[in-house]
Amino acid sequence: MALIVSPRLIDQRLRNRIMEVLEVVAAGTAGVHSVGASEFFELFYDLLPYGERGKNRSNTAISNAEWAAIGTVRSLMDDACDSTSACIREADLNLSGWPDRIQPAAEAALKLMWERGRFSEDVEEAVPTQQE
């Protein structure tokens, strides 16, 4: 028997994944070092597609304030992606300064999301119940 996952539960899980990616980006150069230069971008764009400035997917688990903070990070990530080579090496990405420029915005977005907490992965919730 197939398990049916509700749209709300998918939204909660997606929000949690965005928080995980923001943790990598908020680590700045250490985040690049932990996943590599390509994955630094790819992990982010797996969840928040490139070039969708000002456009947010529908997600009932993400507040308007959180979307605004995520949008700031997305804009910076898009700028960084636009100004770096697709096959940039880890050291070169770190030397470009982009991870350090993006880091404060990612930290702010992550802090805002942690103020509410993480949602359950298994049960629909109106508010997050899992704290840091």
Side-chain angles (χ1 to χ4, degrees):
M1 182 168 102
L3 180 65
I4 298 174
V5 179
S6 72
R8 173 61 186 193
L9 199 53
I10 291 169
D11 284 353
Q12 290 176 196
R13 291 175 180 176
L14 179 59
R15 182 181 182 277
N16 291 346
R17 297 297 80 75
I18 290 170
M19 290 176 74
E20 291 167 4
V21 168
L22 286 173
E23 287 173 351
V24 172
V25 178
T29 57
V32 174
H33 181 67
S34 72
V35 298
S38 293
E39 280 301 299
F40 184 76
F41 291 105
E42 293 299 328
L43 289 170
F44 186 85
Y45 289 127
D46 282 347
L47 300 172
L48 298 156
Y50 169 83
E52 292 189 0
R53 297 170 196 229
K55 298 177 187 175
N56 296 321
R57 295 179 178 176
S58 174
N59 186 314
T60 60
I62 299 176
S63 72
N64 289 337
E66 290 168 343
W67 272 129
I70 292 166
T72 299
V73 178
R74 181 188 297 174
S75 181
L76 289 165
M77 288 292 285
D78 286 355
D79 290 346
C81 189
D82 289 344
S83 68
T84 58
S85 168
C87 50
I88 193 168
R89 295 177 311 168
E90 182 180 312
D92 293 332
L93 179 57
N94 285 336
L95 286 172
S96 76
W98 277 110
D100 292 333
R101 286 193 291 276
I102 299 166
Q103 185 175 13
E107 287 173 341
L110 185 59
K111 181 179 184 252
L112 181 63
M113 294 179 89
W114 269 119
E115 286 174 3
R116 289 181 58 213
R118 287 176 59 96
F119 281 94
S120 169
E121 299 274 329
D122 303 311
V123 178
E124 289 186 18
E125 298 178 317
V127 295
T129 57
Q130 299 174 17
Q131 299 302 314
E132 213 173 341

